[in-house]
Amino acid sequence: MSEHTLHVAVIGAGIGGLTAAIALRRAGLRVDVCEQAPVLSEIGAGIHLAPNGSRLLARLGLEEELREIAARPEAMEVRAWDTGTVLMQQPMGDIWQDRFGGAHYTLHRADLHRLLARQIPADLVHTGHRAVAVTEDDDGVQIDFAHGAHLRADVVIAADGVHSLPRRTIAATERPVFSRTAAIRGLVAPGACAGLPPDTLLTWSGPAGRLLAHPLGCGRGIAFVAVVADRADHGDSWSRPADLAALRRTFADFEPAARKLVEAAGEAGHWTLYDREPLPYWSTARTTLLGDAAHPMLPHHGQGASQAIEDAAALAACLSHLGQGPHGPAPALRRYEELRLAHTSRVRQGSLGGGAQRLAGGAGMRELVSDVTWVQRYDLAAELTAAGLPPA
Ligand code: FAD
């Protein structure tokens, strides 16, 4: 066994990059995280942390803190878009917790992000570091940054989101497919929309679009996502403000509670939605992709964060167990890919047919729920153990 501690550089301090850094440090590896943003900031709106993701964060010792910052919906409800009649109701809360072995949380992305960032010593997170080149040789890999600095490591994890720099090389010919839909994510302050059950996941699906509302933790109120038709391809951006007046017009014919929800939105962002075919591979000898960089998917299964967290746990297990052999980190990266590529491709396939399209096509909520059940039940720790790897 070599005396050398594997040094891993993570590009991107999003949910996936930060979770990878936490898991790698717990496994005893040396980690640096490089983030392009000048500071780790409060961008985003509501996010789902499904049981398959929350179970892994609990294994990393974060369960108690998660419970403090997140909401755990007690029920989900589908309402008729025009009359508001409750078409279907399912209990969640303890029942889901028991069924899936972990909580289904809904929370503000910034709160989850801050919780993860707190677990990593500040001097290991290098903000203002935008990676512009990644170059491998036999002994290591170098990242060049826009401001002229460099960092050398044994392995690079590209957790740099959908526009990932290394992804552009691996997926040189891949083109995102504009879905002709957009997600408008908005926030409603506490008390600004009286009458809605505060601890329920609510869905309305009508001719103009689908609306989903969920509670946020930390007394932040309610978040909603509206999936609507979008004729213009606005390009991928996390910071495009939504046109609130247009949103209100879109939902003007919906039942009063849905209408009030969009009318009460204090702020909202516009995300053009794209589908991307799975890549044939994610890794070179010393560099691999993680999270949205590896497998961006439509958001209809609410699995963006949870899949990135699963990747992070799997990669940490592979690198800590196989990363320092005579053939360098390549066998560990191959094993990671074997564990994750086919699984995430199936999740992406499911999210294609999920959500708005299924409901609009007449699928019931029960059917929709069973579509995602296998994803939420997936037990990465058991999978790692079965593969002879240390469970995350
Ligand atoms: P991301 O969360 O996209 O993180 C990628 C990180 O890499 C970012 O911090 C980015 O600044 C950094 N980065 C990119 N390029 C470089 C580079 N060249 N050098 C260094 N750093 C780089 N999902 C929701 O469901 N609801 C939301 O409200 C929501 N808001 C979001 C807001 C932002 C700003 C972002 C980036 C993502 C948001 N998401 C949201 C998406 C969600 O976080 C992801 O789908 C999921 O968590 C997987 O995350 P990831 O870590 O793979 O990638």
Side-chain angles (χ1 to χ4, degrees):
M1 190 71 162
S2 138
E3 290 294 303
H4 174 75
T5 303
L6 201 71
H7 179 203
V8 183
V10 180
I11 307 178
I15 308 293
L18 291 175
T19 308
I22 297 167
L24 289 162
R25 277 172 48 75
R26 271 175 60 104
L29 306 192
R30 195 179 141 210
V31 182
D32 280 281
V33 183
C34 313
E35 166 58 44
Q36 64 180 0
V39 285
L40 298 185
S41 63
E42 292 252 335
I43 308 177
I47 200 162
H48 287 254
L49 182 58
N52 53 307
S54 76
R55 276 198 310 268
L56 293 172
L57 292 188
R59 291 183 76 97
L60 291 174
L62 303 178
E63 187 165 21
E64 208 171 303
E65 284 176 86
L66 259 179
R67 235 182 276 134
E68 280 167 21
I69 61 163
R72 196 192 64 157
E74 288 300 326
M76 66 165 72
E77 217 172 88
V78 182
R79 294 188 176 186
W81 69 275
D82 47 357
T83 61
T85 308
V86 176
L87 301 175
M88 214 216 74
Q89 200 190 42
Q90 273 232 342
M92 294 177 75
D94 286 341
I95 291 181
W96 271 42
Q97 180 116 20
D98 292 346
R99 184 183 302 163
F100 297 113
H104 186 105
Y105 290 118
T106 52
L107 67 169
H108 196 296
R109 181 182 181 272
D111 293 328
L112 177 57
H113 194 250
R114 199 174 315 107
L115 164 63
L116 297 172
R118 269 206 307 270
Q119 315 305 317
I120 305 164
D123 60 336
L124 302 184
V125 181
H126 313 290
T127 50
H129 279 60
R130 184 164 68 84
V132 291
V134 176
T135 324
E136 288 182 21
D137 55 44
D138 287 348
D139 301 325
V141 51
Q142 174 165 316
I143 308 175
D144 299 333
F145 298 100
H147 58 304
H150 314 281
L151 178 73
R152 238 186 120 70
D154 299 311
V155 182
V156 165
I157 299 175
D160 49 347
V162 65
H163 301 296
S164 165
L165 178 70
R167 182 185 169 93
R168 271 178 252 156
T169 311
I170 291 173
T173 57
E174 181 243 28
R175 295 286 170 269
V177 179
F178 174 41
S179 70
R180 302 195 175 278
T181 55
I184 313 291
R185 290 197 171 92
L187 298 173
V188 174
C193 194
L196 283 184
D199 53 2
T200 302
L201 265 177
L202 285 163
T203 309
W204 298 261
S205 190
R210 181 177 65 130
L211 187 62
L212 187 139
H214 64 75
L216 295 165
C218 295
R220 282 188 187 259
I222 297 174
F224 68 79
V225 187
V227 178
V228 294
D230 195 2
R231 262 184 264 155
D233 180 348
H234 297 288
D236 252 343
S237 162
W238 288 114
S239 52
R240 200 180 125 80
D243 178 345
L244 282 175
L247 181 71
R248 285 166 191 152
R249 281 196 302 275
T250 302
F251 288 93
D253 294 334
F254 273 54
E255 61 113 345
R259 230 171 38 226
K260 273 191 209 145
L261 183 72
V262 292
E263 277 164 11
E267 51 178 292
H270 180 119
W271 280 275
T272 303
L273 299 179
Y274 299 89
D275 178 44
R276 290 170 171 86
E277 287 286 334
L279 298 179
Y281 64 96
W282 295 346
S283 312
T284 55
R286 291 182 178 273
T287 306
T288 196
L289 309 177
L290 180 149
D292 283 0
H295 45 70
M297 55 182 76
L298 291 169
H300 306 312
H301 271 0
Q303 278 287 325
S306 298
Q307 291 303 311
I309 290 166
E310 284 186 359
D311 289 351
L315 185 51
C318 292
L319 280 173
S320 65
H321 198 62
L322 302 167
Q324 300 185 81
H327 304 293
L333 302 185
R334 267 200 309 276
R335 179 61 78 90
Y336 159 66
E337 236 178 72
E338 282 162 15
L339 281 163
R340 298 298 301 155
L341 205 151
H343 181 78
T344 52
S345 302
R346 278 184 71 200
V347 179
R348 170 245 166 209
Q349 185 66 37
S351 69
L352 257 184
Q357 299 91 322
R358 295 290 313 278
L359 283 171
M365 195 63 181
R366 210 174 292 281
E367 204 180 316
L368 210 61
V369 169
S370 74
D371 268 4
V372 293
T373 299
W374 72 271
V375 183
Q376 299 183 330
R377 273 193 210 289
Y378 178 77
D379 186 349
L380 180 82
E383 194 82 11
L384 292 173
T385 307
L389 293 162

